[in-house]
C-alpha cells in the first residue's frame, strides 16, 4: 500500500493519489456501456429467446457458490472499511460536508484506501448482475421486475460515478450501510439453497426488505441534513443520490406493500 502511495502521490504539489493509475475500471467509463448493453441484451433479448424451447436449468450448486462468494466479498469490503476507518465512518454523520481530503481519519493513506474500497465495491455491483442472468436461465422471468432491473443497472453506474468523478466523504457511510444489507441478504440466499430443512429456520426473510427500506431512509436523512446545513459538496453528487435513493425507496416500498398484501390475502 505504502509503495503505491509513494508512486502516485506528489508531495510537492500535494496532489491526491491517482487511483486511476492503479485500478483499471476507474480510469475510464468505457466499460459501463459495454457491461450494461450486454446485460440488457442477455436478460431481455437473447437470453429469453435462447431459453424459449429449453427446460429451466437447475443451478442450485452454482447459485449457492455464487451467493457464498457474494457474502464473503461484501463481508471483506465491510471489514476493510471498518478496519481502515472504524468509528470515523459512523461519526461522519457530523462531517457529511467534508470532501475525502479533509475528513477525520482520512489522511493520505486513508484517501487511497477509500479509492481502493470503492473500486472493489464497483466490481461487486457488476457481479450482482448475475442475479438476473440466473433468473433467465431458470426461466423465472416474473422475478425480473422493473425494481430489479433499475436497481442493478443504476448501481453499476452510480458506484462508478461515486468512485471517480464524484468523490465525497459521505460515500463511505453509504457504502457501509449497503454492504451490511448485502451481507445479510446473500447469507439468506445461501442458506435458503439448502432447502426446506434450513429454510424453516430463516425467520428473518421478511426483514430483508425492511432492512433495505431502513437503509434508504438513513441515506435520505443524511442527504437532507447536507441540504439543510448547505453543504459545499458537489451538487451532482447530492442530486444523483437524492434522485436514485428516492426512486429505490419508492420501488422497494411498493414491492414490500404488494408482497405483504399478497401474503395477507393467502392467509385469509
Amino acid at each position: 500500500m505504502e509503495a503505491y502511495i509513494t508512486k502516485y502521490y506528489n508531495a510537492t504539489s500535494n496532489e491526491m493519489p491517482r487511483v486511476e493509475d492503479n485500478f483499471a475500471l476507474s480510469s475510464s467509463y468505457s466499460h459501463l456501456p459495454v457491461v450494461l448493453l450486454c446485460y440488457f441484451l442477455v436478460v431481455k433479448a437473447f437470453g429469453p429467446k435462447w431459453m424459449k424451447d429449453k427446460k429451466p436449468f437447475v443451478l442450485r450448486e452454482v447459485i449457492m457458490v455464487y451467493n457464498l462468494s457474494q457474502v464473503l466479498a461484501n463481508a471483506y469490503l465491510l471489514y476493510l472499511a471498518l478496519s481502515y476507518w472504524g468509528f470515523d465512518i459512523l461519526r461522519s454523520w457530523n462531517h457529511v460536508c467534508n470532501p475525502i481530503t479533509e475528513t477525520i481519519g482520512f489522511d493520505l493513506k486513508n484517501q487511497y484506501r477509500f479509492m481502493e474500497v470503492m473500486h472493489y465495491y464497483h466490481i461487486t455491483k457488476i457481479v450482482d448482475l448475475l442475479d438476473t442472468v440466473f433468473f433467465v436461465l431458470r426461466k423465472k422471468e416474473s422475478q425480473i421486475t422493473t425494481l430489479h432491473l433499475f436497481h442493478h443497472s443504476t448501481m453499476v453506474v452510480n458506484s462508478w460515478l461515486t468512485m471517480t468523478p464524484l468523490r465525497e466523504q459521505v460515500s463511505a457511510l453509504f457504502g457501509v450501510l449497503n454492504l451490511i444489507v448485502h451481507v445479510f441478504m446473500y447469507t439468506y440466499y445461501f442458506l435458503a439453497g439448502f432447502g426446506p430443512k434450513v429454510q424453516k429456520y430463516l425467520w428473518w426473510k421478511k426483514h430483508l426488505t425492511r432492512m433495505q427500506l431502513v437503509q434508504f431512509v438513513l441515506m435520505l436523512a443524511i442527504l437532507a441534513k447536507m441540504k439543510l446545513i448547505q453543504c459545499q459538496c458537489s451538487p451532482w453528487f447530492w442530486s444523483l443520490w437524492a434522485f436514485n435513493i428516492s426512486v429505490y425507496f419508492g420501488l422497494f416500498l411498493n414491492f414490500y406493500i404488494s408482497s405483504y398484501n399478497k401474503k395477507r390475502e393467502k392467509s385469509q
Side-chain angles (χ1 to χ4, degrees), residues 134-201:
F134 292 143
F135 285 149
V136 172
L137 295 177
R138 296 166 66 205
K139 302 188 81 167
K140 293 185 177 292
E141 287 83 1
S142 61
Q143 297 189 47
I144 306 178
T145 60
T146 300
L147 163 61
H148 183 91
L149 290 172
F150 180 80
H151 180 62
H152 277 335
S153 58
T154 54
M155 279 305 297
V156 171
V157 177
N158 295 342
S159 60
W160 184 86
L161 289 172
T162 304
M163 170 181 63
T164 301
L166 306 176
R167 296 172 177 171
E168 298 291 339
Q169 170 202 349
V170 73
S171 304
L173 183 54
F174 283 5
V176 165
L177 291 172
N178 189 249
L179 288 169
I180 291 172
V181 170
H182 276 74
V183 168
F184 278 98
M185 183 180 72
Y186 281 110
T187 297
Y188 167 78
Y189 292 151
F190 172 69
L191 294 175
F194 287 100
K197 62 181 180 181
V198 173
Q199 289 175 3
K200 62 182 179 181
Y201 298 110

Side-chain angles (χ1 to χ4, degrees), residues 50-78:
W50 183 66
M51 288 297 300
K52 183 177 180 180
D53 299 319
K54 292 182 174 61
K55 293 183 179 180
F57 284 90
V58 179
L59 302 172
R60 179 174 171 272
E61 291 79 9
V62 173
I63 293 176
M64 287 187 70
V65 170
Y66 166 76
N67 288 330
L68 179 59
S69 299
Q70 288 282 56
V71 172
L72 296 176
N74 283 273
Y76 178 66
L77 285 179
L78 183 60

Side-chain angles (χ1 to χ4, degrees), residues 20-261:
E20 295 90 341
D21 295 331
N22 199 44
F23 298 116
L25 294 185
S26 62
S27 61
S28 171
Y29 64 84
S30 59
H31 68 288
L32 294 178
V34 175
V35 169
L36 293 178
L37 179 61
C38 290
Y39 175 63
F40 282 105
L41 285 176
V42 168
V43 303
K44 299 300 289 184
F46 299 141
K49 184 176 181 180
W50 183 66
M51 288 297 300
K52 183 177 180 180
D53 299 319
K54 292 182 174 61
K55 293 183 179 180
F57 284 90
V58 179
L59 302 172
R60 179 174 171 272
E61 291 79 9
V62 173
I63 293 176
M64 287 187 70
V65 170
Y66 166 76
N67 288 330
L68 179 59
S69 299
Q70 288 282 56
V71 172
L72 296 176
N74 283 273
Y76 178 66
L77 285 179
L78 183 60
Y79 162 76
L80 284 182
L82 295 179
S83 64
Y84 284 167
W85 308 303
F87 288 103
D88 284 333
I89 279 186
L90 301 180
R91 285 196 294 266
S92 63
W93 167 262
N94 296 318
H95 304 277
V96 293
C97 290
N98 293 347
I100 59 173
T101 52
E102 298 176 5
T103 179
I104 294 177
F106 274 60
D107 56 15
L108 173 59
K109 184 184 296 185
N110 279 332
Q111 291 170 33
Y112 187 90
R113 284 170 169 170
F114 175 90
M115 303 303 180
E116 178 190 30
V117 173
M118 285 302 300
H119 177 260
Y120 293 122
Y121 179 81
H122 175 59
I123 292 176
T124 65
K125 296 307 156 189
I126 296 176
V127 175
D128 282 348
L129 301 180
L130 288 175
D131 287 344
T132 323
V133 176
F134 292 143
F135 285 149
V136 172
L137 295 177
R138 296 166 66 205
K139 302 188 81 167
K140 293 185 177 292
E141 287 83 1
S142 61
Q143 297 189 47
I144 306 178
T145 60
T146 300
L147 163 61
H148 183 91
L149 290 172
F150 180 80
H151 180 62
H152 277 335
S153 58
T154 54
M155 279 305 297
V156 171
V157 177
N158 295 342
S159 60
W160 184 86
L161 289 172
T162 304
M163 170 181 63
T164 301
L166 306 176
R167 296 172 177 171
E168 298 291 339
Q169 170 202 349
V170 73
S171 304
L173 183 54
F174 283 5
V176 165
L177 291 172
N178 189 249
L179 288 169
I180 291 172
V181 170
H182 276 74
V183 168
F184 278 98
M185 183 180 72
Y186 281 110
T187 297
Y188 167 78
Y189 292 151
F190 172 69
L191 294 175
F194 287 100
K197 62 181 180 181
V198 173
Q199 289 175 3
K200 62 182 179 181
Y201 298 110
L202 301 179
W203 53 268
W204 41 279
K205 173 186 178 181
K206 61 184 178 182
H207 298 299
L208 290 176
T209 304
R210 292 176 183 174
M211 287 183 66
Q212 292 273 24
L213 291 172
V214 169
Q215 170 197 201
F216 298 139
V217 168
L218 290 174
M219 291 178 176
L220 288 172
I222 294 169
L223 290 168
K225 179 180 179 180
M226 294 172 72
K227 181 61 69 172
L228 287 172
I229 61 179
Q230 298 182 334
C231 282
Q232 297 303 309
C233 74
S234 166
W236 292 104
F237 174 90
W238 194 93
S239 299
L240 171 75
W241 284 109
F243 171 76
N244 279 284
I245 295 173
S246 297
V247 174
Y248 294 157
F249 179 78
L251 290 173
F252 273 86
L253 182 61
N254 179 67
F255 170 78
Y256 178 80
I257 294 173
S258 300
S259 299
Y260 176 77
N261 288 337

